[in-house]
Amino acid sequence: MNNQLIGALDIGTYKTKFLISSIDDKNFIKIHSKKTVHTKGIKKGNITDIDKLIDIINSCVGQAEDEIKSEIEKIYVSLNSIRFNHCNLCQSRNIGSYEIHHDHDVQNMINNAVNIFYLTNKNQKIIHLLKSCFKLDKKHIVENPVKLKAHSLETELGIISVEKNFIENLNNVFEKCHLNVEKFIYSPFASSILSADQEEFEKGFVHLDFGHDKTSVAIFDKGNLIHSSILPVGSWHITSDISKAFNLNYNLAEKIKVDIGLVFNKDITNTNLKFKDKENNLVQLSEEMLKQVIQSRVDEILEMIEKEIQFSKIFNKGFIKIIISGGGSNLKGISNRIKNLLNCDVTFAKQSFPIKNTEFNIFSDYMVCLGVTKLVYFNFNKEILGFKKRNKGFFRKLYDIFS
């Protein structure tokens, strides 16, 4: 794939971004073009107007292709919708003290797990299938079980799926855009892959991406994505709360949120803050009330995040670090708020792979696109790329479930 151009498309509620890149012989990523347009036709990751979405995708991709005077054959699309689901499924197989074979044992066990998932999730489409580890005889953990002898083999698989109709609607959109999508990629997975180095992957971390109207949580332990979730609240809700509480227009409310954040004076009783609207009129707000409005929404989001972290039980495994990204992570004081609530280290996402001749702040602006690019060029070693869903009769299904 060296020097071959690929496109990474990130469709967000607020902005749609497209990045064209290639990789050179020294494994450096070279950026050829990048474009951003305001999104229409999609909200919280759900399509609300197909025609508007088609126009936005055509505009974003078309502008980037025009810049390099070339059409992109392979496009990878990141998705961030509250309709995603992440579950873990344990699968085991009796070996009988024979050597473990890849096709007969490992691959067959993976395919059976996929079929069991689809038996109870008929309306879902698997986007990512991830393995955590292989275990022999219920106690010996190995990286690769092939050619080893054992009585039994088991593995835990992480399955990231989304509603089938959602994918079919997207396929319809891209077909009308005359674009060939190589793969759909789960956005929290892509941004997490980019945000941490190898040491952090091994030790474990939580990645929080504060988006416009969603917040994603991705939790890694020993290099494995053990839990993820997309919460239906984001930084836009803070702005909306300010706007409604003080009867302000959205732009002024956004400015107040950016200027103040969570940083307030210690003694704010009977203190007013002064701002000017777009007509240069003076607006005075109670600092105490503004603090209550902003902190209430932020604490609600953080409490939802805390529940996801507690569900993963990573606190019981010596978990240390939270990595934050997204536009909402720039809210003044939010890192300290997270640190105080969860009692752990909080850092901002950092670039974890080399980009060649970059002349703009591509990392923060195109983080998800770069994460997709990294997954394409440097496959995540825990992802299972080959699996099959088989159609079976009733008795064959029962055999697979209990074998």
Side-chain angles (χ1 to χ4, degrees):
M1 196 177 284
N2 283 11
N3 298 316
Q4 181 182 3
L5 297 178
I6 68 164
L9 182 66
D10 173 28
I11 306 174
T13 298
Y14 184 54
K15 292 181 179 179
T16 295
K17 302 177 181 181
F18 187 60
L19 194 71
I20 298 176
S21 65
S22 65
I23 187 170
D24 65 16
D25 295 333
K26 296 181 180 179
N27 283 340
F28 275 81
I29 303 296
K30 183 177 180 180
I31 307 302
H32 298 270
S33 180
K34 49 95 179 178
K35 292 296 173 183
T36 299
V37 297
H38 286 286
T39 302
K40 294 179 182 179
I42 198 164
K43 187 176 182 180
K44 292 187 178 180
N46 299 316
I47 299 174
T48 57
D49 190 314
I50 282 184
D51 292 334
K52 288 181 179 179
L53 183 58
I54 289 171
D55 289 342
I56 288 299
I57 293 173
N58 280 333
S59 174
C60 194
V61 174
Q63 289 179 47
E65 290 181 331
D66 288 345
E67 187 174 286
I68 64 170
K69 295 180 174 57
S70 178
E71 291 187 359
I72 304 303
E73 294 182 2
K74 294 185 177 181
I75 292 179
Y76 299 80
V77 180
S78 72
L79 304 176
N80 191 355
S81 171
I82 57 176
R83 298 165 78 171
F84 269 93
N85 178 56
H86 184 169
C87 70
N88 294 307
L89 179 64
C90 186
Q91 182 75 359
S92 62
R93 183 177 181 84
N94 291 325
I95 303 300
S97 295
Y98 291 102
E99 275 192 8
I100 297 171
H101 294 272
H102 179 271
D103 291 340
H104 182 262
D105 297 312
V106 178
Q107 189 64 53
N108 196 38
M109 185 172 67
I110 291 168
N111 292 342
N112 283 341
V114 169
N115 278 278
I116 290 172
F117 173 81
Y118 279 125
L119 279 174
T120 54
N121 299 274
K122 295 179 180 179
N123 295 323
Q124 292 284 307
K125 169 72 174 177
I126 294 177
I127 301 299
H128 297 286
L129 185 63
L130 308 169
K131 66 177 185 290
S132 57
C133 65
F134 291 101
K135 190 179 290 186
L136 304 182
D137 299 331
K138 302 186 183 298
K139 56 184 176 180
H140 303 296
I141 296 176
V142 298
E143 291 184 13
N144 183 3
V146 176
K147 297 181 181 179
L148 297 176
K149 289 186 177 182
H151 292 288
S152 66
L153 171 66
E154 65 180 59
T155 187
E156 186 173 302
L157 301 173
I159 299 175
I160 298 173
S161 64
V162 71
E163 293 175 20
K164 190 185 299 182
N165 286 339
F166 177 64
I167 291 295
E168 290 179 355
N169 286 333
L170 279 171
N171 282 330
N172 184 28
V173 167
F174 285 102
E175 182 179 342
K176 291 182 178 179
C177 291
H178 305 289
L179 294 173
N180 179 31
V181 177
E182 285 286 310
K183 183 176 175 61
F184 291 110
I185 294 174
Y186 184 49
S187 288
F189 180 40
S191 56
S192 297
I193 290 296
L194 189 73
S195 65
D197 58 29
Q198 189 60 37
E199 182 180 354
E200 288 164 336
F201 269 103
E202 293 303 322
K203 288 183 177 180
F205 68 96
V206 174
H207 179 232
L208 306 177
D209 187 80
F210 296 94
H212 179 69
D213 62 352
K214 299 181 294 298
T215 298
S216 66
V217 183
I219 303 173
F220 285 79
D221 180 42
K222 297 178 182 177
N224 302 307
L225 179 58
I226 62 171
H227 181 68
S228 67
S229 181
I230 298 176
L231 309 176
V233 284
S235 61
W236 172 86
H237 292 83
I238 302 172
T239 305
S240 178
D241 289 347
I242 297 171
S243 175
K244 292 176 181 178
F246 298 100
N247 194 26
L248 303 173
N249 66 61
Y250 181 85
N251 291 334
L252 180 56
E254 177 70 14
K255 181 181 185 303
I256 292 170
K257 180 188 74 175
V258 172
D259 289 348
I260 301 299
L262 293 166
V263 181
F264 295 92
N265 296 318
K266 291 184 179 180
D267 184 12
I268 60 175
T269 306
N270 299 323
T271 302
N272 287 334
L273 297 174
K274 298 178 181 180
F275 304 91
K276 288 188 177 181
D277 61 20
K278 62 180 181 179
E279 284 83 21
N280 210 31
N281 297 319
L282 184 65
V283 177
Q284 296 189 64
L285 307 179
S286 164
E287 186 173 2
E288 184 174 9
M289 185 175 176
L290 181 61
K291 178 181 179 180
Q292 291 176 356
V293 170
I294 296 176
Q295 285 192 354
S296 295
R297 179 64 78 173
V298 170
D299 287 349
E300 177 196 11
I301 296 172
L302 296 184
E303 286 170 6
M304 294 172 72
I305 290 170
E306 185 178 23
K307 289 180 181 178
E308 297 295 333
I309 295 174
Q310 289 175 343
F311 178 81
S312 72
K313 299 181 180 179
I314 197 169
F315 275 131
N316 303 332
K317 302 178 181 181
F319 157 70
I320 300 173
K321 182 177 288 187
I322 285 181
I323 299 174
I324 61 176
S325 64
S329 67
N330 296 320
L331 186 72
K332 292 178 181 178
I334 193 168
S335 60
N336 286 333
R337 194 76 175 171
I338 298 171
K339 183 178 181 180
N340 293 334
L341 177 65
L342 300 179
N343 193 28
C344 60
D345 291 337
V346 179
T347 62
F348 288 90
K350 57 193 176 185
Q351 186 174 314
S352 61
F353 74 104
I355 306 172
K356 190 175 183 180
N357 300 331
T358 302
E359 298 178 355
F360 49 88
N361 190 15
I362 189 173
F363 176 72
S364 59
D365 291 343
Y366 288 81
M367 186 173 181
V368 175
C369 289
L370 283 170
V372 170
T373 302
K374 184 178 180 181
L375 280 171
V376 173
Y377 288 131
F378 310 100
N379 291 331
F380 185 57
N381 63 353
K382 300 289 186 175
E383 182 165 14
I384 300 170
L385 300 177
F387 57 89
K388 296 179 180 179
K389 175 187 174 184
R390 295 195 301 267
N391 294 321
K392 305 174 183 176
F394 175 75
F395 291 106
R396 179 61 184 171
K397 290 177 182 177
L398 284 179
Y399 172 79
D400 281 339
I401 291 173
F402 295 108
S403 62

